[in-house]
C-alpha cells in the first residue's frame, strides 16, 4: 500500500497531489523532489508508480518479488538500491531481515519496504526536522535510509556480542558446558551471524560506490557530489559492522571447537575411569576364578588360613591399583 506521498521544496514538506505525474511535474517545476513511500505494494499499485516514474522493468520485478541481496544498480532513468534492515529478537536470540528498495531519479525518490522491521516513518520525521539535509534533494532520502539501516546494524552487533559473551561464559564454566543443548545453541548462534552477514557483507560495495572511495568510487548518477561525505560516514560505520561480524564469526567457530575439544577430553576421562575400575575388578575376579576351579587336588585347599589370606591379598592389590590410578589422574 502507499504509506506516504509528499513534495519537498527547499527542505520543507507539502502534500503531493493524488496523481503521481502531477506530483513529479510540480516537484520539478519547484526544483524540489517528490518522495513516495510504499509498504509491500500489490502489482497493480506498483505498476502505476513504475509507469509514471519510468522505472526499469527489471528493477520493478525485483521490488515486487523481494528476496534480493543488497545491491546498487544504475539504469538510464533511475538508480536502484536494495538494503536489508535486520531485527534482533532478544527473547529468542534470533536475527531476521526485511528489505527496503529505493528508486532514485530526477526529482523523485520511491521507497518500497518489505517486512515489518525498520519502518521508515522515523527516517522521514528525522529528515523533515533537518531541513538543511533535506534541501540536498532526493539524495538525502537515500542517505537517511542507509544511515538508519547501518546504525541499527551497530546496535544488533552489540546485542550479538553480549549474547556471545554469555555463551562463552557457559562453555568455559568448570563443568565445561556439559549441557546437551550447548552445541545446538552455538550452532544456532552461528546461523544468526550468517543471517546478519547476508545483510551487511554485500552492502560494502554499493556503499563504496556511493561514498566515492576505492576502485569503484566513480561518480554515481542521481547522487549529488556534495552527498559523498555523508555516504563516507555510512561506509565507515558499515566497515565497523563487517569487522565486528567477522570477529563474531571467528569467535563462535573457536568456541565451538573448544566445546567439542572439552567433550572429547571429558569422554577420554570417562573411558579412563571405566578402564581403571575394570582393571581393579579384574584382579579379584582372576583370583576368585582360580580358586573356583573344580580340581581334585587343589593347593592350599586344606589350609585353615587360605580364605582370609586370599581376601587380604585381593584387598591389598585393590588398594595398590586404586592409589596408582589416582596418582595418574585416572580416578
Amino acid at each position: 500500500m502507499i504509506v506516504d506521498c509528499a513534495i519537498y521544496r527547499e527542505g520543507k514538506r507539502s502534500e503531493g497531489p493524488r496523481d503521481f505525474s502531477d506530483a513529479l511535474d510540480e516537484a520539478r517545476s519547484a526544483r524540489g523532489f517528490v518522495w513516495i513511500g510504499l509498504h509491500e505494494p500489490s502489482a497493480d499499485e506498483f505498476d502505476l508508480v513504475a509507469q509514471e516514474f519510468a522505472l526499469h522493468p527489471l528493477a520493478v520485478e525485483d521490488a515486487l518479488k523481494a528476496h534480493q541481496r543488497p545491491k546498487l544498480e544504475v539504469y538510464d532513468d533511475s538508480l536502484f538500491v536494495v538494503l536489508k534492515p535486520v531485527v534482533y529478537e532478544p527473547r529468542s536470540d534470533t536475527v531476521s531481515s526485511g528489505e527496503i528498495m529505493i528508486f532514485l531519479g530526477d526529482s523523485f525518490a520511491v521507497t518500497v519496504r518489505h517486512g515489518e522491521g525498520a519502518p521508515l516513518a522515523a527516517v522521514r520525521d528525522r529528515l523533515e526536522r533537518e531541513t538543511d539535509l533535506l534541501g540536498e534533494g532526493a539524495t538525502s532520502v537515500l542517505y537517511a535510509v542507509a544511515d538508519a539501516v547501518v546504525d541499527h546494524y551497530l546496535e544488533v552487533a552489540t546485542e550479538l556480542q553480549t549474547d556471545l559473551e554469555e555463551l562463552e561464559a557457559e562453555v568455559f564454566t568448570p563443568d565445561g558446558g556439559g549441557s546437551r543443548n550447548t552445541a545446538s545453541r552455538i550452532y544456532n548462534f552461528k546461523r544468526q551471524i550468517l543471517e546478519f552477514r547476508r545483510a551487511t557483507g554485500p552492502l560494502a560495495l554499493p556503499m563504496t560506490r556511493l561514498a566515492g572511495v576505492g576502485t569503484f568510487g566513480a561518480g554515481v548518477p542521481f547522487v549529488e557530489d556534495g552527498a559523498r561525505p555523508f555516504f563516507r560516514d555510512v561506509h565507515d560505520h558499515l566497515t565497523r559492522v563487517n569487522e565486528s561480524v567477522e570477529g563474531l564469526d571467528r569467535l563462535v567457530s573457536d568456541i565451538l571447537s573448544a566445546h567439542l575439544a572439552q567433550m572429547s577430553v571429558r569422554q577420554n576421562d570417562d573411558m579412563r575411569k571405566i578402564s581403571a575400575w575394570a582393571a581393579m575388578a579384574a584382579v579379584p575376579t582372576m583370583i576368585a576364578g582360580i580358586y573356583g576351579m573344580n580340581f581334585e587336588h587343589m593347593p592350599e585347599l586344606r589350609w585353615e588360613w587360605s580364605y582370609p589370606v586370599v581376601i587380604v591379598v585381593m584387598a591389598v592389590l585393590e588398594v595398590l591399583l586404586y592409589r596408582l590410578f589416582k596418582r595418574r589422574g585416572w580416578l
Side-chain angles (χ1 to χ4, degrees):
M1 63 177 180
I2 299 174
V3 178
D4 200 351
C5 175
I7 297 175
Y8 296 90
R9 306 179 184 90
E10 298 179 353
K12 297 181 180 179
R13 174 189 174 114
S14 62
E15 297 300 325
R18 293 182 177 274
D19 188 279
F20 296 145
S21 179
D22 294 340
L24 184 58
D25 292 339
E26 184 178 340
R28 286 173 176 171
S29 63
R31 296 184 179 180
F33 70 95
V34 58
W35 179 6
I36 300 174
L38 302 100
H39 179 228
E40 297 181 355
S42 65
D44 293 337
E45 288 175 334
F46 202 67
D47 281 345
L48 178 61
V49 177
Q51 292 174 9
E52 295 294 345
F53 293 96
L55 303 181
H56 196 279
L58 292 177
V60 171
E61 181 181 359
D62 289 344
L64 286 174
K65 292 185 176 179
H67 304 294
Q68 304 296 315
R69 298 174 70 251
K71 61 182 179 179
L72 183 153
E73 294 182 353
V74 178
Y75 297 102
D76 294 335
D77 297 321
S78 62
L79 186 71
F80 180 59
V81 180
V82 178
L83 304 172
K84 291 183 74 69
V86 296
V87 177
Y88 177 76
E89 178 53 54
R91 293 184 179 179
S92 58
D93 295 337
T94 56
V95 174
S96 59
S97 61
E99 289 184 42
I100 297 177
M101 286 81 167
I102 304 170
F103 293 87
L104 204 66
D106 181 16
S107 301
F108 72 85
V110 178
T111 55
V112 183
R113 183 167 60 91
H114 290 268
E116 297 301 324
L120 298 180
V123 177
R124 191 183 287 264
D125 291 341
R126 171 199 166 190
L127 270 180
E128 291 177 356
R129 290 193 303 269
E130 299 180 8
T131 56
D132 292 341
L133 179 59
L134 195 58
E136 294 294 330
T139 306
S140 61
V141 176
L142 176 58
Y143 159 71
V145 175
D147 185 56
V149 169
V150 173
D151 282 350
H152 192 62
Y153 287 166
L154 290 169
E155 297 175 8
V156 173
T158 301
E159 294 285 350
L160 289 175
Q161 181 66 44
T162 301
D163 285 351
L164 181 60
E165 291 173 358
E166 295 176 357
L167 188 60
E168 187 177 21
E170 177 183 337
V171 170
F172 291 103
T173 51
D175 63 353
S179 173
R180 295 181 178 180
N181 296 326
T182 301
S184 62
R185 284 192 60 198
I186 297 173
Y187 180 74
N188 181 66
F189 192 86
K190 195 170 181 66
R191 287 183 62 89
Q192 305 314 312
I193 293 177
L194 178 60
E195 181 68 21
F196 193 22
R197 174 181 275 177
R198 287 173 179 166
T200 64
L203 188 58
L205 182 56
M207 284 297 111
T208 299
R209 295 182 62 187
L210 291 171
V213 298
T215 307
F216 302 97
V220 178
F222 307 109
V223 175
E224 301 293 335
D225 291 337
R228 290 196 174 192
F230 296 98
F231 286 110
R232 279 199 292 269
D233 181 66
V234 177
H235 179 266
D236 290 342
H237 290 177
L238 181 63
T239 301
R240 287 173 50 195
V241 171
N242 283 326
E243 290 174 351
S244 178
V245 172
E246 289 291 337
L248 289 172
D249 189 51
R250 286 195 298 268
L251 281 174
V252 171
S253 298
D254 292 343
I255 289 173
L256 180 58
S257 299
H259 175 68
L260 295 177
Q262 286 180 329
M263 295 295 292
S264 178
V265 170
R266 190 177 298 110
Q267 289 175 350
N268 290 338
D269 289 341
D270 293 340
M271 289 302 299
R272 286 192 300 179
K273 291 179 181 180
I274 293 172
S275 299
W277 286 111
M280 292 171 61
V283 172
T285 301
M286 178 187 67
I287 296 175
I290 292 175
Y291 276 87
M293 292 185 295
N294 296 321
F295 291 131
E296 184 178 352
H297 302 286
M298 189 73 175
E300 304 170 354
L301 189 62
R302 299 181 185 279
W303 185 29
E304 184 176 353
W305 295 98
S306 60
Y307 178 76
V309 168
V310 169
I311 295 297
V312 170
V313 169
M314 288 192 292
V316 170
L317 290 176
E318 288 294 297
V319 171
L320 292 176
L321 286 173
Y322 179 83
R323 293 184 62 183
L324 176 64
F325 293 141
K326 191 72 173 179
R327 187 181 301 115
R328 293 187 176 182
W330 286 34
L331 291 175

